[in-house]
Amino acid sequence: MKIGVISDSHDHMDHIEKFVTMASKDQFDMVLHCGDFCSPFVARKFTNLPKNVIFHGIRGNNDGDITHLNHTFSNIGKIKEGHQVMDIEGKTVLMLHGHAISEEMIVDIAKENRYDLVLYGHFHHTRNEQFGSTLLVNPGESCGYLTGEATCAIVEIPKTGKVTAEIVSLV
Ligand SMILES: [Mn+2]
């Protein structure tokens, strides 16, 4: 299972388009967005994801118009409130935006080893770090507004063996 993980896209349409092109070219099975889409019109880019790609998003602290976001994403996937726990290929995955708690607390969650994979965004920087049996990944900011580095993550969840991730540039 190959998963494209994106966060903090903050209306940057060109970088979303590059991510969507990558999803098609690299044959992602799933796309996870860790929040901060911002305007509902960004769905115009995500709608070009291949139809077989499963999409899940969560609401970030800057996603004000959740009603219209869910309306524009209705043919793509759901944007849910709060953190989400998912079973993907038998692995337990926690996805959160990250604004509700400190980054230290997110690291503490990873150190508890309750999840195989913890995905978060919000802090606009990348992280790809193993804590015991838990991989902690922040794909960074796909908008690139704060760091000048627009990134996403490609996560591999194999049928057997451990979860791995790679941080990839969108420019
Ligand atoms: Mn943000």
Side-chain angles (χ1 to χ4, degrees):
M1 168 80 76
K2 186 181 273 194
I3 307 169
V5 185
I6 184 170
S7 190
D8 297 277
S9 45
H10 285 270
D11 292 347
H12 199 306
M13 301 296 265
D14 291 351
H15 291 170
I16 297 169
E17 188 173 321
K18 284 187 178 173
F19 176 79
V20 168
T21 301
M22 191 188 288
S24 179
K25 201 166 130 277
D26 291 354
Q27 299 182 317
F28 294 171
D29 301 295
M30 181 182 276
V31 163
L32 299 175
H33 195 304
C34 301
D36 278 3
F37 299 78
C38 294
S39 301
F41 61 61
V42 300
R44 289 184 195 180
K45 293 296 180 189
F46 285 102
T47 199
N48 293 323
L49 282 169
K51 293 294 165 231
N52 62 307
V53 173
I54 301 158
F55 177 93
H56 294 294
I58 49 170
R59 183 183 188 176
N61 58 307
N62 290 300
D63 295 322
D65 192 355
I66 195 67
T67 305
H68 282 99
L69 262 172
N70 268 313
H71 178 70
T72 54
F73 274 79
S74 59
N75 292 324
I76 304 164
K78 278 256 177 336
I79 300 169
K80 294 184 174 167
E81 292 283 342
H83 69 276
Q84 298 295 316
V85 178
M86 295 167 280
D87 182 301
I88 304 173
E89 296 270 310
K91 303 287 187 193
T92 311
V93 180
L94 170 68
M95 177 165 68
L96 69 165
H97 183 58
H99 59 291
I101 55 174
S102 68
E103 193 170 21
E104 288 75 19
M105 288 171 79
I106 295 170
V107 171
D108 284 344
I109 290 168
K111 285 178 177 170
E112 286 174 11
N113 292 162
R114 288 169 59 197
Y115 307 100
D116 298 296
L117 174 66
V118 176
L119 300 170
Y120 71 111
H122 182 64
F123 297 96
H124 289 239
H125 57 230
T126 62
R127 189 162 202 154
N128 185 9
E129 200 171 349
Q130 190 77 37
F131 293 94
S133 59
T134 301
L135 182 64
L136 179 64
V137 175
N138 188 325
E141 48 164 8
S142 70
C143 62
Y145 291 143
L146 300 187
T147 61
E149 287 174 27
T151 51
C152 65
I154 299 176
V155 171
E156 289 273 7
I157 301 186
K159 290 216 188 296
T160 54
K162 64 195 275 265
V163 181
T164 58
E166 185 188 356
I167 305 292
V168 178
S169 175
L170 288 168
V171 290

